């Protein structure tokens, strides 16, 4: 017995949402098929298939019968876009050949009619009849597959109806223009995929692998975890890895959208697709090609484009009864005026056929997915990864943004902010404390050592390793005797602290800082304050939100004093001392008041990210940032939250613009048709024109800039 499994199929020629809907309807009628997801933007069909009931070959044959070309099946989660796609000129594609074929038939009929005018009607009738066959065939198979009300059905009825009332020339023109419209949709769909294709181009094809002291040129796909590669200046990094030798600026803009090159030294992580700027680097590969950052981004964007946004689902539902309703209205236009008002049958049949062509739902059905696809691609280009249309729409409705503190609003590690010298100079206090902490792994000690290194201080020599008293102090023997770095409580246990020094310590702690005291023997010689500093763009990021009327709240497990100090700098609310369950309860309360986004580092904040209306993970391309939450900020910037919301609002506005264009143009042309102003070929141009306008409007999002 075969267990149902995932099945994916790339489909050529599926270039509009109506095409995708037709394939989805056909798949629903096959036994053993479930979880159907069709994306015209990605050109993919994904479903769960029970091969005991329906074989993959049957699925492919059904797709082919509908007029599309199944290219490759896959059952692995490998990013589809990484598989090569052969590019062909438009005239070699099926839709291009239909344009050339129907155009040639029309031109031939026109030329022959000049020499044989008596045969004009029959020549155009023959051209129209032959030209409509591919579309009629697709309409028939669509009806047999459970989709009787397709665009091809409307066009076929209109063309055959025009032939029946003697409008053979217009029928031939309509068929040709319909073919042109389908070709334009294919071109537009190609542009909609450009965001993914631009990412594909970032992946280098070759790498220079080092083995046994020799360097060999290999395909990037051959690299394995642990391989050593050499990346020359100007080369793209072939896969994710870690620098083991060399120092160079690396341009990560293709991956994170960060415009300023980042210095990479031994121990630094690098990402596939980044560009090495000015010096040779040796890297140890940490991910194979199919699992590197670019591959995962492509996979995420493709899956996001395959998922349907709420508005898209609404439009799909609407279109299921829209087309039969349009056919009913066209029928009423044909029969009501002659029967009730004594109108001319030929006139109203002609107008009814024009109504059929105007009613084609292409522009309406494409209005939402085209905008969503462009919005997702625009975000990916700027380091804003959004996992689907639903998340993209929800972001624009956010009323409250809840931020984790550590690692989100702050850098996630303490830094020295103040050095207070009670005896000697600040540099002496800092150098002595760093000497005591020289061998420590504690974050506070590491921060003190880094601060001393930044000032290029010469550290006193310590004899032997430091002795740690957990939670209290570290003590080391220096040339001048024993010195300790410990908490104020530890210092108070060892000696008396003057009121002035105690006041200084309290003032620093009231600013949300952690204070350690330097003791030389039993004498207090200085104090050092440390704090997890704000990210450079945290203030601007929060301000952008509040300027747009969005409430910003910090949720932290840290103490009230520290939380208030950080929140005060940012001009936002703070809720402190929150255990994980309390943080979840707070998210629930915020959601009750409106759509709430949670922004965190994607690790310890995972429950809160999942509980929020939409979760946003910080992280420069890390696995966690890509796999948790509904969106990820590859630039690791707080301003990215406002950029996400702005992109969402622009996308939703674009969707409603598209719907207005689609329905508005149809309404205008419908009225003009009833007054006899519109011809059949003008009607099909109106539908094609609306589709082109909607697509062009959606593509504007690719150039979206957040302000």
């Amino acid at each position: 017995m075969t267990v149902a499994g995932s099945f994916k199929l790339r489909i050529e020629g599926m270039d509009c949402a109506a095409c995708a809907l037709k394939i989805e309807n056909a798949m629903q009628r096959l036994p053993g098929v479930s979880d159907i997801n069709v994306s015209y933007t990605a050109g993919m069909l994904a479903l769960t298939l029970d091969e005991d009931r329906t074989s993959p070959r049957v699925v492919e044959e059904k797709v082919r019968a509908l007029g599309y070309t199944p290219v490759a099946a896959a059952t692995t989660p490998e990013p589809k876009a990484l598989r090569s796609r052969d590019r062909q000129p438009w005239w070699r594609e099926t839709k291009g050949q239909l344009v050339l074929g129907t155009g040639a038939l029309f031109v031939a009929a026109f030329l022959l009619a000049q020499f044989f005018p008596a045969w004009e009607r029959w020549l155009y009738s023959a051209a129209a009849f032959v030209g409509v066959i591919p579309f009629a065939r697709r309409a028939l198979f669509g009806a047999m597959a459970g989709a009787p009300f397709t665009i091809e059905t409307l066009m076929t009825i209109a063309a055959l109806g025009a032939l029946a009332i003697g409008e053979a020339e217009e029928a031939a023109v309509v068929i040709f223009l319909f073919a042109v419209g389908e070709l334009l949709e294919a071109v537009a769909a190609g542009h909609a995929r450009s965001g993914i294709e631009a990412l594909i181009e970032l992946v280098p094809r070759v790498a220079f692998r080092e083995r046994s002291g020799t360097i060999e040129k290999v395909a990037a796909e051959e690299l394995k975890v642990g391989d050593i590669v050499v990346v020359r200046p100007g080369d793209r990094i072939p896969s994710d890895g870690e620098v083991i030798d060399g120092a160079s600026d690396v341009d990560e803009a293709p991956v994170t959208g960060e415009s300023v090159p980042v210095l990479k030294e031994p121990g630094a992580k690098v990402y596939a697709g980044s560009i090495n700027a000015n010096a040779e680097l040796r890297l140890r590969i940490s991910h194979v090609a199919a699992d590197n950052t670019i591959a995962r981004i492509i996979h995420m964007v493709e899956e996001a484009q395959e998922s349907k946004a709420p508005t898209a689902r609404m439009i799909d539902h609407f279109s299921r009864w829209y087309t039969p309703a349009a056919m009913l209205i066209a029928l009423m236009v044909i029969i009501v005026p002659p029967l009730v008002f004594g109108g001319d049958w030929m006139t109203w049949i002609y107008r009814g056929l024009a109504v059929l062509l105007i009613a084609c739902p292409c522009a309406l059905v494409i209005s939402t997915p085209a905008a969503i696809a462009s919005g997702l691609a625009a975000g990916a280009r700027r380091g804003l990864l959004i996992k689907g249309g639903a998340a993209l729409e929800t972001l624009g409705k956010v009323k409250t943004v809840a931020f984790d503190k550590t690692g989100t609003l702050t850098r996630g590690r303490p830094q020295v902010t103040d050095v207070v010298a009670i005896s000697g100079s600040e540099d002496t206090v800092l150098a002595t404390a760093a000497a005591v902490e020289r061998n420590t792994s504690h974050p506070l000690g590491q921060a003190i050592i880094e601060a001393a290194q930044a000032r290029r201080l010469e550290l006193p020599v310590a004899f032997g390793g430091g002795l740690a008293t957990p939670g209290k102090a570290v003590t080391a023997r220096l040339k001048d005797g024993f010195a300790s770095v410990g908490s104020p409580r530890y210092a108070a246990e060892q000696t008396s602290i003057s009121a002035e020094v105690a006041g200084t310590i309290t003032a620093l702690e009231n600013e949300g800082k952690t204070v350690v005291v330097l003791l030389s023997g039993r004498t207090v010689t200085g104090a050092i304050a440390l704090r997890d500093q704000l990210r450079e763009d945290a203030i601007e990021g929060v301000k952008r939100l509040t300027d747009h009327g969005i409430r910003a709240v910090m949720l932290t497990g840290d103490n009230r004093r520290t939380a208030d100090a950080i929140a005060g700098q940012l001009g936002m609310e703070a809720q402190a001392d929150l255990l994980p369950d309390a943080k979840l309860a707070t998210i629930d309360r915020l959601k009750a008041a409106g759509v709430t986004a949670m922004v965190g580092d994607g690790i310890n904040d995972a429950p809160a990210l999942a509980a929020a209306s939409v979760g946003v993970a910080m992280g420069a391309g890390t696995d966690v940032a890509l796999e948790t939450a509904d969106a990820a900020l590859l630039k690791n910037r707080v301003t990215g939250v406002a950029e996400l919301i702005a992109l969402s609002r622009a996308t939703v506005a674009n969707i409603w613009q598209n719907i207005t264009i689609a329905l508005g143009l149809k309404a205008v042309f419908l009225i003009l048709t009833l007054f006899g102003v519109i011809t059949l070929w003008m009607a099909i141009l109106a539908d094609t024109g609306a589709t082109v306008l909607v697509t062009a409007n959606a593509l504007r999002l690719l150039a979206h800039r957040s302000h």
Side-chain angles (χ1 to χ4, degrees):
M1 178 178 178
T2 304
V3 179
S6 62
F7 177 78
K8 290 184 172 67
L9 194 64
R10 185 158 63 86
I11 301 174
E12 296 287 358
M14 179 181 64
D15 298 312
C16 72
C19 303
L21 194 58
K22 180 165 57 177
I23 293 172
E24 183 177 331
N25 288 336
M27 294 300 106
Q28 288 173 347
R29 295 171 68 90
L30 294 176
V33 173
S34 59
D35 301 325
I36 302 163
N37 208 324
V38 189
S39 169
Y40 88 91
T41 51
M44 293 298 302
L45 163 65
L47 48 81
T48 299
L49 181 65
D50 183 349
E51 294 187 25
D52 281 344
R53 303 177 67 189
T54 297
S55 69
R57 184 177 58 83
V58 171
V59 173
E60 294 183 22
E61 288 176 353
K62 184 68 69 174
V63 169
R64 193 174 284 108
L66 292 172
Y68 308 102
T69 305
V71 175
T75 55
T76 66
E78 175 188 354
K80 287 84 69 176
L82 290 181
R83 296 192 288 272
S84 61
R85 292 185 178 179
D86 296 329
R87 293 292 176 192
Q88 291 184 329
W90 67 268
W91 59 84
R92 290 188 178 176
E93 299 282 353
T94 302
K95 293 188 175 182
Q97 291 174 353
L98 268 177
V99 169
L100 295 176
T102 54
L105 286 169
F106 178 78
V107 171
F110 173 79
L111 293 176
L112 288 172
Q114 307 309 306
F115 295 100
F116 307 100
W119 294 2
E120 181 179 33
R121 177 181 175 184
W122 299 108
L123 289 170
Y124 282 118
S125 295
F129 186 78
V130 173
V132 83
I133 288 175
F135 305 108
R137 183 175 180 274
R138 278 154 53 180
L140 177 62
F141 279 110
M144 294 170 60
F149 302 112
T150 62
I151 295 168
E152 289 85 359
T153 302
L154 297 181
M155 199 280 298
T156 301
I157 293 173
L160 295 177
L163 285 176
I165 63 174
E167 298 291 345
E169 184 177 356
E170 285 208 53
V173 173
V174 163
I175 293 165
F176 170 68
L177 291 177
F178 185 81
V180 170
E182 286 204 323
L183 179 61
L184 290 175
E185 286 179 354
V187 172
H191 283 295
R193 296 181 185 124
S194 62
I196 292 179
E197 291 168 358
L199 290 172
I200 298 170
E201 295 303 317
L202 297 178
V203 183
R205 300 289 179 258
V206 298
F208 295 93
R209 183 171 59 191
E210 181 182 298
R211 280 189 175 176
S212 303
T214 61
I215 297 175
E216 56 181 343
K217 185 177 180 179
V218 299
E221 290 79 8
E222 294 181 20
L223 294 176
K224 296 180 172 58
V225 175
D227 280 352
I228 306 300
V229 297
V230 175
V231 183
R232 304 166 303 183
D235 285 353
R236 289 190 183 274
I237 292 169
S239 194
D240 293 2
E242 179 182 335
V243 177
I244 59 173
D245 187 36
S248 178
D249 290 327
V250 174
D251 179 6
E252 296 184 334
V255 182
T256 67
E258 178 58 68
S259 58
V260 179
V262 180
L263 177 64
K264 298 292 184 178
E265 297 177 305
K269 291 183 179 180
V270 291
Y271 306 110
S274 301
I275 303 169
N276 184 20
N278 46 31
E280 187 172 279
L281 292 174
R282 291 177 69 240
L283 315 175
R284 180 180 292 108
I285 298 301
S286 60
H287 290 77
V288 297
D291 189 41
N292 64 36
T293 299
I294 293 292
R296 294 198 305 274
I297 291 173
I298 292 169
H299 185 62
M300 276 184 56
V301 175
E302 287 187 325
E303 286 194 332
Q305 290 186 342
E306 288 172 11
S307 68
K308 288 186 177 178
T311 306
R313 289 194 293 269
M314 179 191 75
I315 294 294
D316 281 355
H317 179 73
F318 176 70
S319 65
R320 293 178 190 275
W321 60 263
Y322 168 87
T323 304
M327 295 179 72
L328 179 61
I329 291 172
L331 179 62
M332 293 176 65
V333 169
I334 291 172
I335 64 174
V336 171
L339 291 179
V340 178
F341 303 106
D344 177 67
W345 277 100
M346 289 298 121
T347 298
W348 288 100
I349 289 174
Y350 184 91
R351 293 178 184 178
L353 295 176
V355 169
L356 273 184
L357 294 176
I358 290 169
C360 286
C362 278
L364 178 63
V365 177
I366 204 175
S367 58
T368 298
I372 292 293
S374 293
L376 293 171
R381 288 181 177 183
R382 293 162 181 78
L384 308 172
L385 284 184
I386 307 164
K387 295 184 178 181
L392 182 57
E393 284 196 29
T394 303
L395 280 162
K397 303 172 185 175
V398 166
K399 302 298 182 185
T400 303
V401 177
F403 288 93
D404 172 53
K405 179 179 73 69
T406 306
T408 301
L409 293 170
T410 65
R411 296 173 181 173
R413 57 188 180 87
Q415 291 181 300
V416 172
T417 59
D418 304 87
V419 179
V420 178
I422 297 170
S423 63
S425 67
E426 290 186 6
D427 284 353
T428 301
V429 170
L430 186 58
T432 303
V436 173
E437 298 277 11
R438 189 193 305 268
N439 297 315
T440 186
S441 59
H442 193 282
L444 295 180
Q446 290 292 315
I448 291 171
I449 294 169
E450 288 175 8
Q453 291 173 341
R455 296 192 187 189
R456 301 183 183 278
L457 302 179
E458 183 177 349
L459 306 188
V461 177
F463 299 95
L467 175 65
T469 305
K472 291 187 176 183
V474 175
T475 302
R477 186 167 67 87
L478 307 179
K479 182 179 179 180
D480 296 331
F482 285 95
S484 301
V485 177
S487 66
R489 178 179 296 179
Y490 173 82
E493 291 172 355
Q494 303 301 313
T495 187
S496 60
I497 299 176
S498 69
E500 183 181 356
V501 172
T504 299
I505 292 173
T506 301
L508 290 170
E509 289 180 335
N510 287 338
E511 294 175 9
K513 299 172 182 177
T514 299
V515 179
V516 294
V517 176
L518 174 65
L519 294 169
S520 295
R522 291 183 177 274
T523 302
V524 176
T525 57
I528 299 173
L530 306 96
R531 185 168 65 188
D532 185 5
Q533 294 290 74
L534 291 173
R535 292 184 181 275
E536 294 84 351
D537 69 329
I539 294 175
E540 181 188 355
V542 173
K543 185 176 184 299
R544 285 192 191 182
L545 294 173
T546 55
D547 285 350
H548 287 86
I550 298 172
R551 179 186 178 194
V553 183
M554 184 174 73
L555 308 182
T556 179
D558 216 333
N559 61 73
R560 167 57 62 184
R561 183 173 56 195
T562 300
D564 285 344
I566 295 291
Q569 293 182 71
L570 294 169
M572 65 189 299
E573 303 174 43
Q575 297 191 29
D577 300 311
L578 296 177
L579 296 175
D581 56 345
K583 189 176 287 189
L584 283 176
T586 303
I587 290 290
D588 288 337
R589 286 196 301 273
L590 293 174
K591 281 172 62 180
V595 178
T596 299
M598 173 67 194
V599 187
D601 62 12
I603 302 173
N604 56 352
D605 296 307
L609 290 171
S613 307
V614 57
V616 180
M618 303 286 285
T622 62
D623 289 342
V624 171
L626 293 175
E627 293 170 6
T628 59
D630 304 296
L633 305 176
L634 295 188
K635 289 184 181 180
N636 224 28
R637 293 180 179 273
V638 180
T639 50
V641 180
E643 291 172 3
L644 277 174
I645 292 173
L647 177 61
S648 171
R649 291 178 175 178
T651 303
V652 172
N654 192 280
I655 289 171
W656 287 108
Q657 290 165 8
N658 287 346
I659 292 172
T660 301
I661 290 170
L663 294 180
L665 278 177
K666 289 184 184 301
V668 170
F669 276 85
L670 176 61
I671 293 170
L672 293 176
T673 298
L674 296 179
F675 283 98
V677 178
I678 300 299
T679 61
L680 291 181
W681 65 267
M682 290 171 67
I684 198 67
L685 271 182
D687 176 66
T688 301
T691 301
V692 170
L693 284 175
V694 163
T695 305
N697 189 49
L699 292 177
R700 288 193 307 109
L701 285 170
L702 293 176
H704 172 77
R705 291 286 188 276
S706 299
H707 300 290

